[in-house]
Amino acid sequence: MTSAGSGQQQVFARAFAVARHGRLWLVPMALCALVALFLTLLYMGGILDPSGNLRRLPIALVDTDQGPPLPGQQQTLGAQVSRSVVAATPAGTVQWRRLSPTQMRDQLASGKVYGALFIPADFTTSVAALTTPRATARPALTVLTNPGLGSLGSSLASQITQRAAHQASLTIGRQLTNQASSQGADTTTRALLGDPITVTIRVGHPIGRHSGLGLTAFYFTLLLVLTGFVGGNVINSGVDAGLGYTDNEIGPWHTRRPTVPISRTQTLLLKMLMTAGISLLTTSLVMIAGIGILGMDASHLSLLWIFSYCASLAVGLGVQAINAAFGGIGQVVSMFVFIALALPSSGATIPLQAVPGFYRFLALFEPMRQLTDGVRSILYFDARADAGLTRAWTMIVIGVALALSFGFAMTLYYDRKGLHRLTARTAAPPGETP
């Protein structure tokens, strides 16, 4: 017992002794600190103040009011409401798009607007009727939502539109109240006329019940990115262990295979071929689990599978290229490229119009935004090309081309310079300490 105890004490004593060397701490501590700092700044910086960061959120404004104008006025109340809504909105926060009903439906169905304010054809007539015995119901403005663009984006548009409609109601109410007072209307009538308009809320472009309130596109895309990212790194480690360039440890078991003489370029080619093959399986399993088992609403299944495979493959090839170029820190680099910078700039949970400008810049090229638009188009917008699908396909092609050209350019350069990978150490002669 004493011998075993002293042996354990020697092991722990050596561990504490090594821990006193500052150089051992330097690189891990610096990398961990930088990752913690930048992840916090990136993730929290994009979500803290959506309303304060709001820039040109597209909302449709549809005026079908046919009048005639009220006595003594030149315009219909619909035209007045439209002008009041635009004027009452803080400059630069909303892009009010004056559309026809047909244009509105098209832009809702293609995800180009987050919502709409609809003014009916009989709006002026129904408001005028409030001052007469013919009034049967309060005039109504309709706020349309677009949940396919995400619950938060649709909610922001709905809140803005409701506030604008309520403000317009109060403005019209002051006009009607002054007119009614001059005509000797009673208190009840004046109270009704003070806020005469009802605001109704309807879904402008419905999506399925099992669509997570418009969030399934984001989470499905996240699954594609994660399977590509994690799968790429697993393949990278597995191939290196299988070729004898790294140790293979599972629990207490440790193996080291004989080193296979192979160039960096051929190693990268092998990893990319395996990524292409294994992505067939992972993409199928994501769809089987999400749609077949959990019942996620999805249409265009063949197109969704092809797009999902290409998206996951593009991420996996990018991971292999980065690992080949950067070696040991490649996993950290690829984590920032495909996860840390991509998630807050995806526009999937918070609209890009409601995040700081830095994230809108990242969204121009970060993969999550491009892939989310493609998945969203297939799931919610009938796979329309102008709903983001064309851009998504274009960016997948560019991503694959960049991964192949960058990865093989770096490995060919390393091979030509003779920068070969480490080979297995030879066994020590008998009796000699390794």
Side-chain angles (χ1 to χ4, degrees):
M1 293 294 292
T2 303
S3 174
S6 62
Q8 290 181 353
Q9 289 177 357
Q10 289 177 1
V11 171
F12 282 115
R14 290 179 59 191
F16 281 112
V18 172
R20 288 198 293 268
H21 292 274
R23 292 184 179 179
L24 182 68
W25 292 73
L26 184 60
V27 173
M29 183 168 62
L31 287 176
C32 291
L34 289 173
V35 168
L37 174 64
F38 283 109
L39 284 181
T40 303
L41 292 175
L42 287 169
Y43 286 143
M44 300 305 293
I47 66 169
L48 293 180
D49 189 13
S51 298
N53 292 315
L54 200 60
R55 295 293 182 274
R56 298 181 62 80
L57 187 74
I59 303 176
L61 179 58
V62 182
D63 177 19
T64 63
D65 190 3
Q66 298 179 356
L70 295 178
Q73 297 186 5
Q74 301 297 319
Q75 292 182 316
T76 64
L77 289 179
Q80 296 180 40
V81 167
S82 298
R83 188 175 66 252
S84 173
V85 163
V86 175
T89 306
T93 59
V94 174
Q95 182 189 60
W96 291 104
R97 298 183 179 180
R98 296 178 182 269
L99 305 174
S100 68
T102 301
Q103 292 172 325
M104 175 197 69
R105 287 190 291 270
D106 181 72
Q107 295 206 9
L108 284 171
S110 60
K112 290 185 172 62
V113 292
Y114 283 82
L117 177 62
F118 183 82
I119 304 171
D122 62 346
F123 183 66
T124 299
T125 303
S126 59
V127 171
L130 290 176
T131 60
T132 69
R134 300 194 308 273
T136 58
R138 294 175 67 188
L141 296 175
T142 303
V143 171
L144 299 174
T145 63
N146 197 356
L149 291 177
S151 54
L152 180 58
S154 182
S155 176
L156 275 173
S158 177
Q159 292 173 18
I160 293 169
T161 309
Q162 288 181 69
R163 284 197 300 267
H166 180 64
Q167 186 61 43
S169 176
L170 296 178
T171 300
I172 293 173
R174 285 192 292 269
Q175 300 176 13
L176 296 178
T177 301
N178 292 336
Q179 180 183 356
S181 298
S182 65
Q183 297 175 355
D186 56 31
T187 304
T188 302
T189 301
R190 291 198 302 272
L192 172 64
L193 296 177
D195 187 8
I197 300 172
T198 297
V199 179
T200 60
I201 303 174
R202 293 194 295 108
V203 177
H205 181 73
I207 58 177
R209 288 180 57 245
H210 296 159
S211 297
L213 300 177
L215 289 175
T216 51
F218 165 68
Y219 283 103
F220 191 85
T221 305
L222 180 60
L223 287 170
L224 300 179
V225 172
L226 286 177
T227 53
F229 172 78
V230 175
N233 283 308
V234 169
I235 293 168
N236 179 69
S237 300
V239 169
D240 285 347
L243 296 178
Y245 288 92
T246 60
D247 292 346
N248 185 25
E249 293 186 80
I250 301 178
W253 293 280
H254 168 269
T255 58
R256 180 70 178 263
R257 292 180 177 273
T259 303
V260 176
I262 186 173
S263 67
R264 289 177 180 268
T265 301
Q266 291 299 315
T267 302
L268 177 60
L269 178 59
L270 172 62
K271 291 176 180 178
M272 287 187 167
L273 289 174
M274 291 183 64
T275 300
I278 293 175
S279 294
L280 294 169
L281 173 64
T282 56
T283 300
S284 300
L285 290 176
V286 167
M287 290 192 62
I288 290 171
I291 301 172
I293 298 176
L294 298 178
M296 182 184 83
D297 286 325
S299 57
H300 306 282
L301 294 182
S302 297
L303 176 60
L304 180 62
W305 185 91
I306 294 172
F307 180 87
S308 300
Y309 172 73
C310 294
S312 186
L313 175 61
V315 174
L317 296 180
V319 168
Q320 302 299 2
I322 291 173
N323 285 338
F326 293 96
I329 64 169
Q331 293 187 19
V332 177
V333 175
S334 60
M335 186 268 290
F336 270 92
V337 172
F338 294 108
I339 306 295
L341 294 173
L343 285 178
S345 62
S346 66
T349 54
I350 297 179
L352 291 175
Q353 294 84 356
V355 297
F358 172 68
Y359 298 92
R360 292 195 289 273
F361 167 72
L362 290 178
L364 296 176
F365 53 86
E366 275 293 331
M368 273 289 291
R369 184 270 173 107
Q370 331 303 332
L371 301 183
T372 298
D373 283 353
V375 171
R376 181 183 278 161
S377 171
I378 296 171
L379 291 182
Y380 306 146
F381 300 120
D382 198 30
R384 288 183 51 157
D386 60 347
L389 189 57
T390 297
R391 177 185 173 87
W393 276 119
T394 301
M395 296 305 288
I396 285 176
V397 172
I398 293 174
V400 170
L402 286 175
L404 294 175
S405 58
F406 175 68
F408 285 112
M410 295 303 296
T411 55
L412 287 169
Y413 172 78
Y414 293 153
D415 286 337
R416 283 199 302 266
K417 289 293 184 179
L419 302 173
H420 303 298
R421 304 185 71 191
L422 293 176
T423 58
R425 296 174 60 185
T426 58
E432 181 179 334
T433 301

